[in-house]
Amino acid sequence: MAIYIRTRPTTKTKVLGCLCALAAAGIALLYPTALLLDPSIPNPLGEPIVNDAGNLEEQSLSILIGVMTIYSFMLIAMIFGALSGFKGTDRWLPKDATMTHRDIASARFLHISQSPARRAVGMLWTVLAVILIEVNPVITTGIPHLLIYNESAPELEQAAVMGMAFLVIGLIAALVWAASRRETIAVCMTPQGMAAVKPFPLALPLPSGRNNLSIQEVPARWGRVKVQAAYAPPTGGTEPGRPVLLSQLSLTARPSRLDDARAQVEARLDEVWRAAQLVRPPPEPEGAATAPTSAEKKCPHR
């Protein structure tokens, strides 16, 4: 896990995000509009591309897949630009990073998420999922027709198309699930409070000490053990509040690897405590409250 600071989008960034959103909408509507205006354009949802002899053009199919892939990349880039323009960007804070409280207060929030390497892999899975969504009609209709094209067995070709469609949909679902696990925010913090899993609302107070963060072990399926990260928020009294489970920081492991899981969860809780120390307002100087005003300096004996 790592700590990130979510910046606030500026006016220029919001304008750029609006332009990217308009460009994404235009790109998304470009191909359907072209199909309506010019029916001669190859339609992957209709008949496969065939030559004069009635056979599938492998070269035309590869060109169509390449065009759809480039089209997907352009659409992903515009969507990513629009999201960054409206929600801000994440800046990774390494161990030796020095941040002033003014920089943290001007940001939207701090959050604990997966390491930069794992988040990069999650972004790659997202890109592949979007590309498969765009190229899915071409793959499901073209590849079975290319491999088992036989006019005397239309049922076999239809079954192959359905099987390819279910295979690609399952692969897309697996990629989206893997990407979401690497992109989900585990803990979010501002100087006003803390939230688990979701950035808002901030219903929990900031931890007052490292002892507010602990681990719990519960049995899981197939003989494994789940090492849960728990947070007991301070209540102002002698007893801490009811523990809140930080599910994104928990791990499930076999009994033989239980020590490694404990060490990993403790390291993640250390990151939560470090983020709480970064986001907490600095203490006021002792002499600030008793410093004389300008009027008192002029009239000390009134």
Side-chain angles (χ1 to χ4, degrees), residues 225-241:
V225 178
K226 186 173 185 180
V227 183
Q228 296 178 331
Y231 169 52
T235 57
T238 57
E239 295 294 331

Side-chain angles (χ1 to χ4, degrees), residues 17-60:
C18 292
L19 294 177
C20 290
L22 293 175
I27 293 173
L29 296 175
L30 178 63
Y31 195 78
T33 304
L35 288 177
L36 292 176
L37 296 179
D38 190 359
S40 63
I41 296 177
N43 183 4
L45 296 176
E47 293 295 330
I49 304 174
V50 296
N51 55 18
D52 295 336
N55 298 321
L56 184 67
E57 288 278 5
E58 297 183 23
Q59 184 178 4
S60 299

Side-chain angles (χ1 to χ4, degrees), residues 126-144:
T126 303
V127 171
L128 291 178
V130 175
I131 291 176
L132 282 178
I133 291 173
E134 295 290 338
V135 188
N136 184 25
V138 181
I139 295 176
T140 54
T141 58
I143 293 180

